[in-house]
Amino acid sequence: MTTTVKLNKNGTKNNPVLAFWQKHKNDLIPPLVGVIGFLLLWEMTSHLPGMRLPGPSSLFTDERTRILLLYPFYDRGGLDKGLFWQTMASLGRVAQGYSLAAIVGISVGILVGTQPFLDKALDPIFQFLRMVAPLAWVPIALVALQQNHPAAIFVIFITSVWPILINTTEGVKQIPQDYINVQKVLQLSKTKFFFKILLPSALPYIFTGLRIGIGLAWLAIIAAEIVMSGIVGIGFFIWDAYQQNYISEIILAVIYIGAIGLILDRAIAYLQKLIAPGQ
Amino acid sequence: MQTTNRKLVNSMEKQLKLDSFLTIDNVSKIYPTPKGPYTVLQNVNLTINQGEFICLIGHSGCGKSTLLNMVSGFAQPTGGSVNLKGKAITQPGPDRMVVFQNYALLPWLTVFDNVYLAVDTVYPQKIEAEKRAIVREHLALVGLTEAMEKKPTQISGGMKQRVSIARALAIRPEVLILDEPFGALDPITKEELQEELLKIWHENRCTVLMITHDIDEALFLADRLVMMTNGPAATIGEVMSIPFARPRDRERIMEDPQYYDLRNHALDFLYNRFAHDDVA
């Protein structure tokens, strides 16, 4: 009897998984309960008469979906690729459009933030354009650029650039008077002011913009790809699956989209911690 | 004959002003407001000698900060002029370094780098080792050698104020301007910093202009105490000389019977003759 108790205690101490569970039990149980409850409810609803949306179990029961789930890396050429490759194709477009948006958004934002005239002149245009939904840009982009690939990049760019630009402008305008006074009394050069005061002071705002921007960019690519037919990408994959009535495949793709979106957001947050810690 | 005499006196006065180190000459400051012009300061005259320690006292809203801002160059007088060594002050500059009320340290730079930024900007011709030595020397002066690599967010208010003072002194300003530097500190830290400031001032002999709300602080530190009347249209009500010999010892001057005469005089000025409406 005593030996079993002892073993148990030792087991808890030496097993890192168990130790982790013991420590974070209270933080882990509620979300687990939430997720499992949600899935159960969904599964039950899907069995109601007349309901066409399959439950989460269809990820395993549907054969085509199971293959997609288990073999994300397969590549049979053309559009018939595993979800990993579909996602990577979409991410590649996001990377291009978003990088462009970050470069343009931050540099124009700094320019506009430091020039009150430009700010007043351009703010109404920015405020107007940022309200245009990504999908509305698709036909414009297709007409203007005539090809799927550059049009997709443009849609991502134009969707994600506004929060980056507007937040950067705001960050530059919000530099505390104290720091401006330091610049004035020391008579700092323009370069020194830019690198030692303006940029670090605006950085938290810039990162807020970048985080909103990455989320919008990811939303935009899905929307853009759904409209642009015949390309490898998770957005078009969903559209294709819908056309062929493979509903459980859509569910799987949606899970991918949610997970990637979350990872992208966290990646920017991590980058912020790395570059501007404690701000 | 009389007119020539008057002319002579006038020109002599002018010359005297030019010779003086820092002159505040018939300065007024009027802000335009929607309800019409608002006069903050009027007829302010003060001549300050090189190396003097001046404290300014007065109720809030009497324009003390406005007056100092015109010396530092952050504000321009509406009428009259502020001259340093005969030249009108038109903009801020490192020769009139300010210790700001809320320290104004850059939170993304370490304590060392905050001071270094100032030293590097003011002495561009010096080599790096020399500049680093200046920073270390001044941080040691205010007792912050241990905290050099810390960020401002990691240190206490008293330490932040020390950094701000070290930054100001490291660039050897001709005039050091302090806007209520110790107001936010606890009494013990406050006394420590007052003594440090006085010690450093003895070594550097820069001219100091300091706003305070604390009569005892002024009596301990200043050569002269400038007492302001209430706004609007505030002016200098009285200038009190503080005759205690230097170096000053806090306990010794507090035993001096003169200390209480001066203290009561200042209190009387602030709370009887120019009592603030909401004090009384």
Side-chain angles (χ1 to χ4, degrees):
Chain A
M1 190 73 185
T2 36
T3 31
T4 32
V5 171
K6 227 181 183 178
L7 253 175
N8 232 339
K9 256 189 179 167
N10 278 344
T12 318
K13 259 185 192 162
N14 295 336
N15 187 332
V17 179
L18 257 177
F20 181 82
W21 174 250
Q22 287 290 344
K23 211 176 157 196
H24 298 277
K25 214 162 45 178
N26 294 333
D27 295 330
L28 289 175
I29 289 176
L32 278 176
V33 169
V35 171
I36 292 169
F38 171 71
L39 291 177
L40 280 177
L41 196 69
W42 178 8
E43 186 66 37
M44 285 189 314
T45 322
S46 70
H47 290 297
L48 291 177
M51 178 56 89
R52 286 187 57 203
L53 183 73
S57 63
S58 65
L59 295 182
F60 304 94
T61 53
D62 184 287
E63 207 201 326
R64 278 184 61 98
T65 315
R66 189 170 62 233
I67 290 172
L68 281 168
L69 179 70
L70 296 177
Y71 304 101
F73 300 106
Y74 84 83
D75 184 355
R76 292 196 207 122
L79 298 184
D80 195 4
K81 290 180 173 25
L83 279 174
F84 174 80
W85 300 115
Q86 304 276 4
T87 310
M88 286 315 278
S90 298
L91 271 178
R93 289 183 197 110
V94 167
Q96 293 175 45
Y98 180 71
S99 306
L100 200 63
I103 294 166
V104 172
I106 294 172
S107 38
V108 175
I110 288 172
L111 193 71
V112 172
T114 46
Q115 310 287 331
F117 179 82
L118 272 183
D119 183 38
K120 283 197 181 114
L122 298 177
D123 190 59
I125 303 175
F126 293 160
Q127 296 296 345
F128 176 81
L129 288 178
R130 84 187 174 96
M131 288 302 172
V132 180
L135 267 177
W137 286 108
V138 173
I140 296 175
L142 281 171
V143 168
L145 301 165
Q146 291 171 16
Q147 280 173 330
N148 273 347
H149 180 75
I153 306 290
F154 175 78
V155 170
I156 293 164
F157 164 77
I158 204 75
T159 312
S160 54
V161 75
W162 306 117
I164 302 174
L165 200 163
I166 291 167
N167 275 286
T168 305
T169 306
E170 200 54 29
V172 172
K173 277 158 62 183
Q174 295 288 330
I175 298 174
Q177 191 57 41
D178 275 347
Y179 306 160
I180 308 274
N181 286 346
V182 170
Q183 178 223 358
K184 281 187 184 159
V185 76
L186 292 177
Q187 294 175 343
L188 289 184
S189 66
K190 282 231 161 79
T191 333
K192 261 209 180 115
F193 174 68
F194 183 82
F195 286 109
K196 299 283 182 183
I197 293 180
L198 185 144
L199 208 55
S201 180
L203 217 50
Y205 287 83
I206 294 176
F207 268 106
T208 305
L210 287 174
R211 260 180 97 172
I212 301 172
I214 194 78
L216 288 181
W218 188 233
L219 290 181
I221 185 63
I222 308 299
E225 283 179 355
I226 283 178
V227 181
M228 293 160 192
S229 52
I231 47 174
V232 177
I234 192 106
F236 182 67
F237 174 88
I238 288 183
W239 187 244
D240 201 33
Y242 172 69
Q243 297 286 329
Q244 302 181 47
N245 209 20
Y246 299 139
I247 306 301
S248 53
E249 285 184 17
I250 299 177
I251 293 170
L252 181 61
V254 165
I255 294 170
Y256 262 77
I257 290 170
I260 298 293
L262 193 67
I263 291 168
L264 287 176
D265 183 70
R266 288 300 142 94
I268 300 289
Y270 176 74
L271 207 64
Q272 174 169 20
K273 239 187 189 166
L274 217 62
I275 295 176
Q279 276 189 52
Chain B
M1 188 66 192
Q2 272 222 322
T3 42
T4 36
N5 260 347
R6 165 105 7 115
K7 261 187 191 162
L8 192 68
V9 168
N10 273 346
S11 74
M12 272 169 78
E13 264 181 357
K14 234 178 210 162
Q15 192 55 43
L16 201 65
K17 269 175 187 157
L18 285 178
D19 287 342
S20 325
F21 182 67
L22 179 65
T23 55
I24 296 165
D25 188 10
N26 207 18
V27 159
S28 64
K29 181 72 185 176
I30 300 161
Y31 285 114
T33 68
K35 290 179 197 161
Y38 178 81
T39 308
V40 185
L41 291 167
Q42 212 169 19
N43 300 326
V44 181
N45 285 290
L46 187 66
T47 305
I48 296 163
N49 302 318
Q50 187 155 21
E52 239 187 326
F53 199 129
I54 302 282
C55 277
L56 262 91
I57 207 162
H59 292 292
S60 37
C62 73
K64 307 179 294 278
S65 293
T66 310
L67 187 59
L68 283 205
N69 277 342
M70 289 190 280
V71 178
S72 58
F74 283 111
Q76 300 299 320
T78 314
S81 65
V82 184
N83 300 294
L84 180 67
K85 295 201 281 194
K87 273 175 82 180
I89 291 166
T90 54
Q91 59 166 1
D95 55 333
R96 286 156 283 123
M97 186 60 186
V98 184
V99 174
F100 296 98
Q101 205 166 8
N102 29 11
Y103 325 125
L105 301 174
L106 303 174
W108 44 84
L109 297 182
T110 60
V111 164
F112 184 91
D113 287 336
N114 261 291
V115 182
Y116 188 82
L117 178 67
V119 173
D120 186 40
T121 310
V122 175
Y123 302 120
Q125 73 286 1
K126 284 198 159 101
I127 56 165
E128 200 191 321
E130 216 177 330
K131 289 185 277 195
R132 298 184 73 86
I134 293 175
V135 177
R136 273 195 296 271
E137 180 203 331
H138 285 86
L139 283 174
L141 206 62
V142 293
L144 280 180
T145 307
E146 307 291 313
M148 275 200 303
E149 292 312 317
K150 288 199 171 139
K151 294 272 172 73
T153 44
Q154 297 169 304
I155 59 177
S156 67
M159 288 164 94
K160 281 182 208 166
Q161 194 55 280
R162 286 188 164 96
V163 180
S164 191
I165 291 172
R167 174 174 66 184
L169 291 167
I171 58 173
R172 299 278 147 170
E174 290 190 275
V175 183
L176 180 65
I177 295 166
L178 305 108
D179 188 351
E180 229 184 297
F182 310 135
L185 304 178
D186 66 272
I188 295 171
T189 315
K190 192 172 171 171
E191 287 194 3
E192 276 174 17
L193 274 177
Q194 286 166 357
E195 269 153 46
E196 271 168 34
L197 178 65
L198 214 49
K199 210 179 94 203
I200 294 165
W201 174 74
H202 266 289
E203 286 159 17
N204 285 333
R205 282 290 167 171
C206 56
T207 309
V208 179
L209 275 174
M210 174 170 151
I211 290 178
T212 178
H213 269 130
D214 181 342
I215 294 172
D216 294 303
E217 180 172 273
L219 289 174
F220 179 55
L221 295 173
D223 291 317
R224 283 190 291 161
L225 174 60
V226 174
M227 294 182 275
M228 310 269 301
T229 64
N230 290 331
T235 187
I236 293 174
E238 200 175 313
V239 180
M240 187 167 89
S241 286
I242 301 165
F244 304 122
R246 295 187 189 267
R248 284 179 188 169
D249 176 88
R250 198 186 296 273
E251 279 163 31
R252 268 237 306 275
I253 65 166
M254 283 178 90
E255 281 165 11
D256 195 321
Q258 227 188 331
Y259 184 89
Y260 291 94
D261 292 342
L262 293 172
R263 193 172 190 278
N264 288 336
H265 188 80
L267 279 172
D268 178 57
F269 179 91
L270 284 174
Y271 295 106
N272 293 326
R273 285 157 61 199
F274 291 96
H276 211 247
D277 299 336
D278 48 39
V279 178

